[in-house]
Amino acid sequence: GGGGGMLGPEVDIADFGAVPVSARNLLRLLQRREAVLLYPGGIREAFKEDGEQHCLFWPEDSADFMRLAARLDAIVVPVAHVGADDAVAHVASADDLLRIPGLGDRLREAADRAPVARPGDRFVSPLVVPARIPRFYYCFGRPIDAAVVDSRDEAATRAAYDAVRTELEDCITWLLEKRESDPYANLGRRITYEAAAGWRRQAPTFEL
């Protein structure tokens, strides 16, 4: 789910199927048996600072999405991704930018106008520049059947929430370890392999 706002004057994230993050929207989608891609970490997780690569920033005091999943007998599939955090290098933190006279005020004004999905979210990105073109890796974790969780039991929904997070963190750790043995992690080697194959075959990755 996204913020439901504009990425630019001509691009609306709703065009890509995104909806504002809210319990009501999640409930409606699950009631319609839609497949929902949810980012519990939200803006905080998207706008990571230097040194926070591959870290999750999920709310510690809320298990709402798991409670709704249990209420509607949904299946939760953790999906881990590694690569995007390595594609940029940090130049300045969000706090550094906010301290710059003039620029800081404009950033605060823009952040105040942005939709907020979660209290405390700050729509101010650190300043980054392209670093390299890493290979992206994905891992689908163990599905968790929310139908066996009592949505009225706070302890049970919290335990299920923690299980999803732990599974996701384990998948991220596994990907970080396995990519070290990928013979074609380097972009140049991938291009050479795929060009030699007439662009008809993708370079293989690590062994499962």
Side-chain angles (χ1 to χ4, degrees):
M6 299 294 287
L7 297 181
E10 300 177 356
V11 180
D12 191 328
I13 60 174
D15 293 338
F16 300 93
V19 299
V21 176
S22 70
R24 176 177 294 182
N25 282 338
L26 179 58
L27 177 62
R28 288 174 175 174
L29 290 169
L30 291 177
Q31 286 175 331
R32 289 162 48 184
R33 296 301 176 185
E34 296 275 3
V36 181
L37 182 60
L38 177 69
Y39 297 88
I43 293 300
R44 176 65 184 89
E45 199 166 282
F47 291 163
K48 294 176 181 175
E49 298 289 355
D50 192 22
E52 295 179 343
Q53 291 84 348
H54 315 302
C55 294
L56 300 182
F57 294 94
W58 286 20
E60 296 293 342
D61 58 350
S62 174
D64 287 345
F65 83 82
M66 182 53 68
R67 187 174 297 108
L68 286 174
R71 178 178 168 185
L72 296 171
D73 297 339
I75 294 177
V76 179
V77 182
V79 182
H81 161 66
V82 165
D85 286 350
D86 306 303
V88 297
H90 287 71
V91 176
S93 69
D95 288 335
D96 290 336
L97 297 176
L98 290 170
R99 284 193 289 266
I100 298 175
L103 175 62
D105 291 336
R106 289 197 294 272
L107 290 174
R108 289 187 188 90
E109 291 172 2
D112 289 341
R113 292 193 301 268
V116 176
R118 198 171 70 200
D121 275 355
R122 184 177 64 176
F123 218 104
V124 179
S125 170
L127 178 61
V128 299
V129 295
R132 61 189 181 92
I133 305 178
R135 193 171 201 177
F136 284 14
Y137 303 87
Y138 297 87
C139 176
F140 289 80
R142 176 178 57 87
I144 295 175
D145 187 356
V148 301
V149 179
D150 184 350
S151 63
R152 298 163 298 181
D153 187 331
E154 183 175 346
T157 55
R158 180 69 206 197
Y161 176 89
D162 290 341
V164 173
R165 176 170 179 164
T166 298
E167 178 70 12
L168 185 55
E169 289 174 332
D170 289 346
C171 288
I172 291 174
T173 299
W174 182 80
L175 285 174
L176 290 172
E177 293 174 351
K178 294 295 289 185
R179 74 172 180 175
E180 295 300 317
S181 61
D182 181 358
Y184 296 99
N186 178 270
L187 177 63
R189 294 197 67 184
R190 291 202 304 279
I191 291 177
T192 301
Y193 178 97
E194 293 175 10
W199 308 108
R200 294 186 299 272
R201 189 165 62 249
Q202 186 178 38
T205 184
F206 53 77
E207 293 185 6
L208 298 176

